[in-house]
Amino acid sequence: MPTNNRLFLLDAYALIYRAYYAFIKNPRINSKGDNTSAVFGFVNTLEDLLKRENPTHIAVCFDPHGPTFRHEAYELYKAQREETPEVIRWSVPIIKEIVNAYNIPTLEVAGFEADDVIGTLSKKAEKKGYEVFMMTPDKDYGQLVSEHVRMYRPRHGINEFEVLGPEEVNIKYGLSNPLQMIDLLGLMGDSSDNIPGCPGIGEVTAKKLLAQFGDINTLLSNTEQLKGSLKEKVTQHVDQIKFSKFLATIRTDVPIEMEEKELERETPDMRKLQEIFESLEFRTMIDRVGKNSPALKVETISPEKKEQKKLVSTDNQFSLWDEFGTPTPETQRAAQTKKTEEKNKSDQDQKTGSENPKITGKEPEENFHANLSSLKTVPHSYHFLDNEADFESFLSNIAVQKFFSLDTETTGLDVMTAELVGMSFCWKNGEAYYLPFPEDQLLTKEKMFRLKQILENPSIRIIGQNIKFDLVILKKYGINLDAELFDTMIAHYLLQPELKHNMDYLAEVYLNYRTVHIDELIGAKGKNQLTMRDIPQKDICPYAAEDADITLQLQQILEPELTEKGLDYLSHEVEMPLIHVLAEMEYTGVGLDTESLQEASVEMTTTLDKLEKEIQDLAGISFNVNSPKQTGEILFETLNIVDKAKKTKTGQYSTSEEVLESLKGKHPIVEKILEQRGLKKLL
């Protein structure tokens, strides 16, 4: 039967990442040097939710440590994601401590993602008459919505949310049934989770197929109705489509019970919260949280918990700026611009919708470049130097420049085997030049010789993105740059060492601009990926010229920031000059005695085999010595070398080096295992 109970289930990591990136350009650093952006943003989001919605029941769901069933089924699941930023790794334990101080349960189940835990609990709660709200920015959850289960989705604004039920999900994502979200992801894939989907099918085509067939199973049973290349794409990738659907499906059968009493909202431990907030230097946060206390409407929730109270908040909502300070004029202008862009976004998407990822109509959280400018919207003048007259004019023009950016286009990323395909240059924003080179390497070297005097001029300044690569490429063609260098990738590393430093990311963050991505030219990684040599030179021109143009614009922003942060000496006297040294080292290489290494490898392999047999003899049973799980079972169950063995959070016996070192002397097998691991690592 319906009740007045409202359960909110929070997708912890999705909200933590969102909070972290909200402050990415202006991180919140305390006097200890700690970057508290993720913690601060998450707590603000939590507080806003509690005040705005006043839930009766709540839980925060985390992904567990270790692989999930999806990783076990598909080794590459989420493999493309960069390593978790150090700030987030530092923040998560603190956030868990804060959530516990709020007396809100934190939930995680080994082998399952937070999505699956939330999916399972939402369905169980719905059966018990709850109104359920899944708080997450991820569109995947659309598959779970029903009459009483909704998405509570943060919008692009800091304190704005949208509630999506079945009708809203269908309208927002162009579906006829929320369950089609699984089929949509199964067909188009999901780059954020590395779900492959069907190669060559994007969002627009996927929606058309679902409108025609309803779901993937019906589509695959009626492929004879498809035509041309689309039929070929689908029929060639049937297994991949089915597997992608499996990966995209949120489980609703996770082994977790819905403990209603545990999920009831309770009074925060104000003393504990104050202690944490003071340590983090959140000076006004405790007052903000504490404002609830005097005005609380207290209601006993059970005879067993008379001291624990429900919160019924009547306070007004607050903004991030209450704690962070008044926004700068630049921030206000950016916010206003973003608001205007969002207002016009829907109509624009209808006009320009296609499978090109630059112009899909996704929300910013799912597809950050939805509101970014691009070559299609920004005036530019890119010159294709495909004839002698234009090349001569270019040489005269570049010869008088005091600085310029350059970028090389090559047949691959292995600098020692890659060949030059083209080069781009820029010394004025919005105007760049692309010089193509022929496949004949002798002709390419002749053309490069005409650039030699200009590029080797020590009085100019050359700007690049990961310019060491370009230096080594040019060395192969007899050109040794002696100019002052500025590398935008290294500059950003000095400013924000724990973030990504690739140009696509920097352009989005600093220029609000979406570059042409390499896979739009040569295709996604894999055996069918092309090389730049396979692409018509005229098609390469916009991509290559844009790289040089954006690099110059990034230098104009990053270099003043280095000065502002007092990093001039480190940048100009240490890091940038070192590029020349590193390029020379890479080009020269090192000598390896491969015969000696091979002999050592054979010897170590023999020793390793012998060690593993000795370990199995000591265990009295054959097992995989390289499996921590099996090793733990042998040590602590079969041999029972200690009474109380330490376990990991997943319930598996811990066999870390630290644990094994502490067990030396308990059994001779321990030292053998340590020796085997050391040798295997060396091998």
Side-chain angles (χ1 to χ4, degrees):
M1 295 295 293
T3 70
N4 292 323
N5 290 330
R6 301 168 74 242
L7 170 62
F8 277 74
L9 299 169
L10 280 60
D11 184 350
Y13 277 100
L15 297 173
I16 291 169
Y17 269 88
R18 181 176 180 274
Y20 172 64
Y21 283 106
F23 291 100
I24 200 69
K25 291 186 71 174
N26 293 292
R28 185 183 177 87
I29 310 294
N30 63 20
S31 65
K32 305 169 190 173
D34 299 325
N35 184 337
T36 59
S37 301
V39 181
F40 176 73
F42 181 87
V43 175
N44 259 315
T45 300
L46 177 60
E47 263 299 299
D48 189 40
L49 169 68
L50 296 177
K51 291 182 179 183
R52 182 193 297 264
E53 299 296 342
N54 190 29
T56 60
H57 297 70
I58 188 170
V60 180
C61 301
F62 286 83
D63 293 333
H65 293 290
T68 67
F69 72 92
R70 292 183 181 88
H71 295 94
E72 292 172 356
Y74 182 46
E75 187 177 352
L76 296 179
Y77 182 65
K78 295 188 177 181
Q80 87 295 352
R81 292 190 177 182
E82 294 196 6
E83 187 177 357
T84 304
E86 179 61 34
V87 170
I88 291 183
R89 286 202 298 268
W90 175 83
S91 301
V92 167
I94 297 173
I95 289 172
K96 286 184 176 180
E97 190 178 359
I98 290 172
V99 172
N100 289 332
Y102 269 93
N103 285 320
I104 295 173
T106 57
L107 306 177
E108 60 183 69
V109 178
F112 296 91
E113 295 180 74
D115 312 36
D116 306 304
V117 174
I118 290 174
T120 300
L121 290 177
S122 66
K123 296 306 179 184
K124 290 188 175 186
E126 182 180 31
K127 289 179 181 178
K128 294 186 177 184
Y130 283 72
E131 294 293 327
V132 183
F133 298 86
M134 306 173 294
M135 188 172 182
T136 179
D138 292 346
K139 67 179 181 296
D140 314 39
Y141 284 79
Q143 64 188 268
L144 297 169
V145 301
S146 62
E147 183 181 358
H148 300 289
V149 177
R150 302 177 183 86
M151 290 177 67
Y152 191 80
R153 194 169 182 273
R155 296 174 66 91
H156 200 52
I158 293 297
N159 288 318
E160 298 178 14
F161 300 89
E162 59 180 344
V163 179
L164 303 178
E167 183 178 355
E168 291 80 10
V169 166
N170 289 342
I171 293 172
K172 187 176 186 68
Y173 299 108
L175 307 174
S176 59
N177 185 311
L179 284 173
Q180 285 184 323
M181 179 61 72
I182 305 172
D183 301 283
L184 179 65
L185 295 172
L187 287 170
M188 64 180 278
D190 187 349
S191 59
S192 65
D193 289 340
N194 214 27
I195 296 175
C198 181
I201 291 184
E203 184 173 0
V204 173
T205 301
K207 288 179 179 178
K208 289 179 181 177
L209 290 173
L210 292 180
Q212 180 179 354
F213 295 100
D215 57 51
I216 281 176
N217 292 339
T218 305
L219 165 66
L220 298 181
S221 299
N222 295 275
T223 53
E224 72 280 356
Q225 297 182 30
L226 302 176
K227 296 180 181 179
S229 62
L230 180 58
K231 181 177 182 179
E232 185 178 343
K233 292 172 188 175
V234 173
T235 54
Q236 285 183 357
H237 297 94
V238 169
D239 290 340
Q240 186 165 307
I241 293 171
K242 290 179 178 178
F243 189 58
S244 296
K245 180 175 181 178
F246 161 76
L247 292 174
T249 302
I250 295 177
R251 295 274 292 270
T252 57
D253 59 348
V254 174
I256 184 172
E257 295 302 319
M258 183 190 169
E259 304 290 347
E260 294 183 66
K261 291 293 183 184
E262 295 297 321
L263 299 177
E264 285 181 336
R265 186 171 166 202
E266 299 178 5
T267 313
D269 184 339
M270 298 304 296
R271 182 176 298 176
K272 184 63 175 175
L273 281 176
Q274 181 169 2
E275 179 183 320
I276 299 170
F277 290 160
E278 285 178 352
S279 172
L280 295 169
E281 299 177 9
F282 292 174
R283 295 183 178 87
T284 64
M285 186 75 78
I286 191 66
D287 295 331
R288 186 179 300 163
V289 177
K291 278 194 289 187
N292 281 338
S293 300
L296 285 180
K297 297 178 183 178
V298 177
E299 177 186 350
T300 305
I301 60 174
S302 73
E304 297 80 18
K305 297 184 179 180
K306 290 184 178 180
E307 75 283 3
Q308 297 174 339
K309 310 297 180 181
K310 281 187 179 179
L311 299 180
V312 184
S313 170
T314 57
D315 278 355
N316 294 326
Q317 300 162 10
F318 62 88
S319 162
L320 263 177
W321 306 117
D322 294 343
E323 175 76 19
F324 194 64
T326 305
T328 63
E330 291 79 6
T331 305
Q332 291 173 321
R333 284 196 297 272
Q336 183 60 45
T337 300
K338 191 172 292 181
K339 186 174 182 180
T340 303
E341 288 172 343
E342 286 180 344
K343 182 179 179 182
N344 297 327
K345 174 176 169 299
S346 179
D347 291 341
Q348 184 66 24
D349 288 337
Q350 292 298 320
K351 294 176 184 176
T352 60
S354 77
E355 290 184 25
N356 188 323
K358 289 191 292 186
I359 48 177
T360 55
K362 297 181 181 179
E363 283 291 307
E365 291 81 7
E366 303 160 12
N367 192 0
F368 182 65
H369 58 258
N371 288 324
L372 303 179
S373 55
S374 69
L375 275 184
K376 293 192 174 184
T377 60
V378 173
H380 60 279
S381 177
Y382 293 164
H383 306 275
F384 183 40
L385 307 176
D386 62 338
N387 61 70
E388 181 62 26
D390 287 345
F391 185 32
E392 283 289 345
S393 175
F394 163 76
L395 289 174
S396 300
N397 201 353
I398 194 174
V400 298
Q401 304 304 323
K402 294 181 179 179
F403 65 87
F404 54 80
S405 64
L406 69 77
D407 185 55
T408 57
E409 301 304 331
T410 62
T411 54
L413 296 179
D414 182 343
V415 73
M416 300 312 296
T417 60
E419 296 178 357
L420 258 178
V421 174
M423 285 184 73
S424 53
F425 304 84
C426 178
W427 52 85
K428 180 181 178 182
N429 291 1
E431 185 172 353
Y433 301 82
Y434 177 64
L435 177 65
F437 293 105
E439 189 170 354
D440 186 323
Q441 291 299 285
L442 288 176
L443 294 177
T444 294
K445 287 181 179 180
E446 289 176 10
K447 207 169 187 179
M448 286 297 297
F449 182 76
R450 298 169 68 182
L451 284 166
K452 184 177 177 69
Q453 187 175 353
I454 295 168
L455 294 175
E456 291 187 345
N457 182 355
S459 64
I460 61 170
R461 191 176 202 224
I462 299 180
I463 300 150
Q465 165 80 10
N466 188 22
I467 200 170
K468 177 169 68 69
F469 180 90
D470 305 300
L471 261 63
V472 179
I473 288 290
L474 294 176
K475 280 179 180 292
K476 292 167 56 180
Y477 290 85
I479 294 178
N480 294 284
L481 269 63
D482 192 29
E484 177 190 353
L485 302 178
F486 186 92
D487 191 321
T488 51
M489 182 182 74
I490 291 175
H492 187 252
Y493 172 80
L494 295 177
L495 291 165
Q496 299 284 2
E498 60 200 16
L499 303 184
K500 295 184 288 186
H501 312 294
N502 63 76
M503 181 186 291
D504 298 336
Y505 172 77
L506 297 182
E508 290 179 353
V509 170
Y510 287 94
L511 302 173
N512 196 39
Y513 183 90
R514 203 263 178 179
T515 57
V516 178
H517 291 188
I518 183 66
D519 55 9
E520 296 173 45
L521 282 180
I522 63 175
K525 289 182 180 179
K527 63 180 181 180
N528 295 322
Q529 188 179 52
L530 305 175
T531 72
M532 279 298 196
R533 187 73 78 194
D534 303 316
I535 308 298
Q537 288 279 15
K538 196 165 187 178
D539 293 343
I540 297 174
C541 178
Y543 166 83
E546 181 190 59
D547 276 359
D549 183 13
I550 294 302
T551 297
L552 182 65
Q553 293 184 47
L554 288 171
Q555 175 265 332
Q556 294 164 0
I557 294 174
L558 295 173
E559 191 160 18
E561 282 199 18
L562 289 170
T563 301
E564 182 184 334
K565 295 287 191 334
L567 296 170
D568 273 347
Y569 180 84
L570 180 59
S571 170
H572 300 312
E573 302 299 325
V574 180
E575 293 288 353
M576 302 305 174
L578 186 61
I579 298 171
H580 287 289
V581 180
L582 296 175
E584 187 64 41
M585 291 171 63
E586 187 168 340
Y587 182 74
T588 303
V590 296
L592 288 177
D593 186 342
T594 55
E595 290 186 9
S596 294
L597 288 173
Q598 182 61 38
E599 289 173 7
S601 176
V602 171
E603 184 179 334
M604 282 189 282
T605 301
T606 302
T607 305
L608 196 62
D609 291 342
K610 181 181 176 184
L611 266 175
E612 290 180 358
K613 186 176 186 312
E614 290 175 0
I615 291 170
Q616 292 178 345
D617 288 343
L618 287 168
I621 187 173
S622 177
F623 72 100
N624 182 1
V625 181
N626 297 307
S627 166
K629 183 175 185 295
Q630 292 184 34
T631 300
E633 290 169 353
I634 291 294
L635 292 176
F636 306 118
E637 291 181 5
T638 305
L639 300 178
N640 195 26
I641 64 175
V642 290
D643 293 331
K644 292 184 179 180
K646 183 178 179 182
K647 289 190 175 183
T648 65
K649 290 186 177 180
T650 61
Q652 183 175 304
Y653 290 114
S654 175
T655 60
S656 65
E657 183 177 356
E658 181 184 3
V659 170
L660 293 180
E661 286 288 349
S662 69
L663 297 176
K664 274 185 174 181
K666 299 285 186 182
H667 195 287
I669 196 173
V670 176
E671 292 193 32
K672 291 290 184 182
I673 292 173
L674 283 168
E675 186 180 353
Q676 182 265 353
R677 288 186 179 180
L679 186 60
K680 188 172 183 63
K681 187 180 293 185
L682 180 61
L683 177 58

